[in-house]
Amino acid sequence: MQIRDLPYADPGVPDVRSGTRFLLWLGRNQLGGQVKALLWGLLLQLGIAGLPLGVGVAVQAVVDRDGGRLGLAAGLLVGCGLAIAVGDTMLHRVAVTNWITAAARVQQLLSRKTAELGSILTRRVAAGEVVSVSTGDVEKIGWFVEALSRFAAAALSLLIVCVALVVYQPALGIVVAIGVPVLALAVLPLLPRATRRADVQREKAGKATELASDTVAGLRVLRGIGGEELFLGRYRAASQEVRKAAVHSARMWALIAAIQVLLPGVLLIVVVTYGARLALDGRITVGELVTVYGAVALTHHPMRNFEEIAMAFSFSRPSAKRAARVLALTRTTTTTDAAGEEREATGDLYDPLTGLVAPASRFTAVVCGDPDVAGRLADRLGGHPTEPAEGHTSVLLGGVPLDELPLAAARTAVLVQDKDPVLLSGTLRELLDVPSSGAVRAEDALAAAQCGDVLDALAQASVDTDGDPMRTRITERGRSLSGGQRQRLALARSLVTDPEVLVLDEPTSAVDSHTESRVADGIARLREGGTTVVLASSPLLLDRADRVVLVHDGQAVAVGTHRELLAKEPRYRAVVTRETDEELAAAGSRLHGIDTDELEALEGETA
């Protein structure tokens, strides 16, 4: 896989049973790149290992005054130099490719999971953790995948060097062959402690990131209550905890690095001392001593890869664990079979958990006393159970469970607009350029959502689009617009999509009553003949619905028109009119003494 070929056509199905298994799965999927990096790494390491041999041959040629061998040594050194240059260049190229392609694979997997779960993701995983996984954790996972092949090349080259030295000069080669494995394994007892400290550091960093994300998201509220300093103090304390954990972890890694400098130095002293005695006794030549000395001196280069792979694994394992936890989240607890791909879902929308029925081609309004309950119900209607207990029941569309449909088919059939929709940055035309049936024009959707003032504001704000609001750029998350303007643009985007079933959660909560009335008329007009479910408590919306369902304590308890429920259902009246228990009792006693005309007049005033 080359960088120019990204993104992957299919990033695959990851092994998310644990962080380690996820890392191994990534490594297996990068097998071709790993093999290339291994081969180029071997060329680099063996080129470095060949330098002492060339120097030793040159020294011995000078001692023996052998011009032919001196030329051979020069050629060997030139060859080693070329091997180092080519190997280092290509290893870096392939290693970076492995890093980027592995990170891209993880990001594609996370993007796919985000698209699958939708708004449910941040209800199951903290927003700060999602940010941490998709940014810093992805880089650390890519680091391990990239370092793995270089470590394998270093380990294999050390083995080759030890065997070659034993063959080349057995007396000193045996000392090196015994000493090098000791150097490589000496830091193993320290790695578990270093890993634990790295885990603590990453955990504290994740909490600090989560706190920062939540603080930024709620900055307007914090300013309103004067809580900036309180949360700033909390973040300052969290960042200090991260700093202390980082220092604590760095001390252990510094100790490991010091050991990997000290022990090769000790081995070098042993080799030089023992080799000098052998040279004085005439058992080895000066050139052989120089060769073995140089080989031992250069073992620090491949040995650095041992320290790096330990660090990479220690830092990437918790990152991979977090990524695996996010990727392990499922849309539902049921599975999709092959037959499900051929099933078509059309008809009434039915939720077995609450008993809610939204007839096909009708405008149904749903009233819940608790906004959080309404939000969870909207997610369920879109095929996203939000609680573990809800995973055993699926919403049915025309008798077909949504979880048994392919994700693309379920998304096409049912579209859910959250109460706080997000506008992506880009032009207004790009915002409305979404997958759709093609039956609803953008102009009609904007008109139905009462976006005339939004278009005027965008036209005035534009300086390089000749006053065309469709070419005006919308800032990130639509921050340059008011809450009502963002809400109406999001509604227009949903109307353009024209799904078979459109679920709107409080689509007019941020607009004034006059605009809300016109928006309600626009929704009813544009969605005529389509199945529309609106979760709201505004009488202006409820009065335009074909039928209204009251959900109380998690169950659909009453069905009728807005005016019928106002007259006969006290619990409905309590939610819609915000009446207290005392006011409800007084109103109920009054209703017994008035005639039908007076009742209709009272309902009209309430609406």
Side-chain angles (χ1 to χ4, degrees):
M1 186 69 180
Q2 299 297 320
I3 296 177
R4 63 174 175 268
D5 299 325
L6 294 174
Y8 290 97
D10 179 13
V13 180
D15 187 345
V16 294
R17 289 176 289 177
S18 68
T20 302
R21 289 178 182 271
F22 181 60
L23 289 174
L24 293 176
W25 177 84
L26 280 176
R28 289 196 301 271
N29 279 274
Q30 302 280 129
L31 191 58
Q34 297 290 342
V35 171
K36 290 180 182 179
L38 173 63
L39 295 177
W40 289 119
L42 277 176
L43 179 63
L44 169 64
Q45 299 292 351
L46 293 179
I48 295 174
L51 291 176
L53 178 61
V55 173
V57 172
V59 170
Q60 191 61 42
V62 171
V63 172
D64 297 338
R65 297 185 177 183
D66 187 342
R69 293 184 63 189
L70 186 60
L72 176 64
L76 181 60
L77 290 175
V78 171
C80 289
L82 290 175
I84 292 172
V86 174
D88 196 14
T89 301
M90 296 305 299
L91 174 62
H92 179 74
R93 180 186 178 89
V94 175
V96 171
T97 300
N98 288 342
W99 186 335
I100 293 176
T101 52
R105 186 185 297 274
V106 178
Q107 287 179 327
Q108 278 190 250
L109 290 171
L110 291 170
S111 299
R112 186 173 67 181
K113 183 59 64 174
T114 301
E116 176 186 341
L117 297 177
S119 62
I120 305 304
L121 177 61
T122 52
R123 296 189 181 184
R124 296 183 180 179
V125 182
E129 184 169 352
V130 176
V131 173
S132 179
V133 170
S134 59
T135 54
D137 286 340
V138 168
E139 292 187 6
K140 289 180 174 57
I141 292 171
W143 176 27
F144 173 77
V145 174
E146 178 264 339
L148 187 60
S149 54
R150 289 192 287 109
F151 163 73
L156 188 56
S157 63
L158 281 177
L159 177 62
I160 293 174
V161 167
C162 290
V163 172
L165 287 178
V166 170
V167 174
Y168 176 72
Q169 178 45 252
L172 286 178
I174 293 177
V175 176
V176 177
I178 295 174
V180 168
V182 173
L183 298 182
L185 302 176
V187 297
L188 281 182
L190 299 177
L191 290 180
R193 184 177 298 180
T195 301
R196 286 194 298 270
R197 292 187 181 185
D199 289 347
V200 171
Q201 177 191 351
R202 294 299 304 162
E203 180 181 357
K204 291 184 180 296
K207 290 181 178 179
T209 302
E210 180 180 343
L211 179 60
S213 299
D214 293 342
T215 302
V216 171
L219 188 58
R220 180 176 298 179
V221 177
L222 291 177
R223 287 175 175 172
I225 63 176
E228 303 102 310
E229 289 300 325
L230 173 63
F231 278 82
L232 180 60
R234 292 182 181 177
Y235 180 74
R236 185 181 294 113
S239 64
Q240 289 301 313
E241 289 294 325
V242 175
R243 181 187 63 81
K244 292 178 182 178
V247 171
H248 195 54
S249 176
R251 287 174 178 169
M252 183 56 64
W253 290 111
L255 177 60
I256 292 175
I259 291 175
Q260 292 203 321
V261 171
L262 175 64
L263 293 184
V266 173
L267 177 61
L268 195 60
I269 293 174
V270 171
V271 168
V272 171
T273 302
Y274 183 54
R277 291 179 179 178
L278 293 177
L280 290 174
D281 294 339
R283 297 171 57 184
I284 63 173
T285 65
V286 175
E288 291 173 337
L289 176 60
V290 171
T291 298
V292 176
Y293 167 81
V296 174
L298 291 178
T299 55
H300 78 281
H301 190 276
M303 289 295 294
R304 287 187 302 177
N305 290 278
F306 284 74
E307 178 187 356
E308 183 188 16
I309 195 64
M311 292 184 66
F313 180 74
S314 297
F315 281 90
S316 64
R317 187 176 61 85
S319 297
K321 183 178 179 181
R322 278 191 294 273
R325 184 164 60 244
V326 173
L327 295 174
L329 297 175
T330 56
R331 177 179 162 213
T332 61
T333 57
T334 61
T335 57
T336 302
D337 53 16
E341 298 182 1
E342 302 177 357
R343 303 175 71 177
E344 293 185 1
T346 181
D348 297 346
L349 186 67
Y350 171 60
D351 179 20
L353 192 67
T354 61
L356 170 67
V357 178
S361 305
R362 301 284 297 278
F363 184 175
T364 302
V366 181
V367 175
C368 299
D370 187 346
D372 292 334
V373 173
R376 290 196 294 271
L377 177 57
D379 290 329
R380 276 190 54 76
L381 294 178
H384 296 294
T386 57
E387 301 294 339
E390 297 178 5
H392 303 290
T393 58
S394 173
V395 171
L396 307 179
L397 180 60
V400 179
L402 286 181
D403 2 352
E404 294 185 4
L405 292 174
L407 182 61
R411 289 289 183 272
T412 302
V414 182
L415 173 66
V416 178
Q417 177 178 304
D418 298 330
K419 67 181 65 178
D420 186 21
V422 175
L423 300 182
L424 302 179
S425 60
T427 65
L428 181 56
R429 180 173 287 108
E430 292 170 340
L431 175 70
L432 299 178
D433 184 15
V434 293
S436 64
S437 67
V440 178
R441 298 186 308 160
E443 294 79 4
D444 297 333
L446 291 168
Q450 298 299 308
C451 294
D453 63 318
V454 184
L455 297 178
D456 293 339
L458 291 176
Q460 293 176 3
S462 176
V463 295
D464 56 354
T465 61
D466 297 327
D468 183 2
M470 300 299 292
R471 295 169 56 195
T472 303
R473 293 194 64 81
I474 297 174
T475 56
E476 179 188 4
R477 300 177 67 90
R479 298 187 188 280
S480 59
L481 304 172
S482 68
Q485 290 174 328
R486 289 196 300 270
Q487 195 172 59
R488 281 176 284 155
L489 282 180
L491 175 60
R493 179 178 58 188
S494 299
L495 294 174
V496 165
T497 303
D498 189 37
E500 181 174 345
V501 180
L502 177 60
V503 180
L504 304 173
D505 185 10
E506 293 287 357
T508 58
S509 60
V511 302
D512 61 82
S513 58
H514 298 289
T515 305
E516 183 179 29
S517 177
R518 295 193 295 270
V519 170
D521 289 335
I523 294 174
R525 182 181 66 257
L526 205 59
R527 289 292 299 170
E528 185 176 0
T531 306
T532 306
V533 181
V534 176
L535 292 97
S537 58
S538 168
L540 294 171
L541 274 173
L542 300 174
D543 195 38
R544 285 159 177 79
D546 297 326
R547 63 198 300 272
V548 181
V549 180
L550 173 63
V551 175
H552 182 73
D553 290 337
Q555 293 294 318
V557 297
V559 181
T561 66
H562 169 60
R563 295 174 183 272
E564 290 172 350
L565 293 178
L566 269 181
K568 69 180 183 181
E569 181 53 66
R571 291 172 295 186
Y572 179 84
R573 200 160 53 246
V575 175
V576 174
T577 65
R578 277 75 168 177
E579 292 180 346
T580 63
D581 294 338
E582 293 77 7
E583 292 172 335
L584 286 173
S589 63
R590 290 197 305 272
L591 287 175
H592 290 293
I594 61 177
D595 58 23
T596 304
D597 293 337
E598 292 173 330
L599 177 59
E600 291 180 354
L602 176 62
E603 293 172 357
E605 293 175 0
T606 305

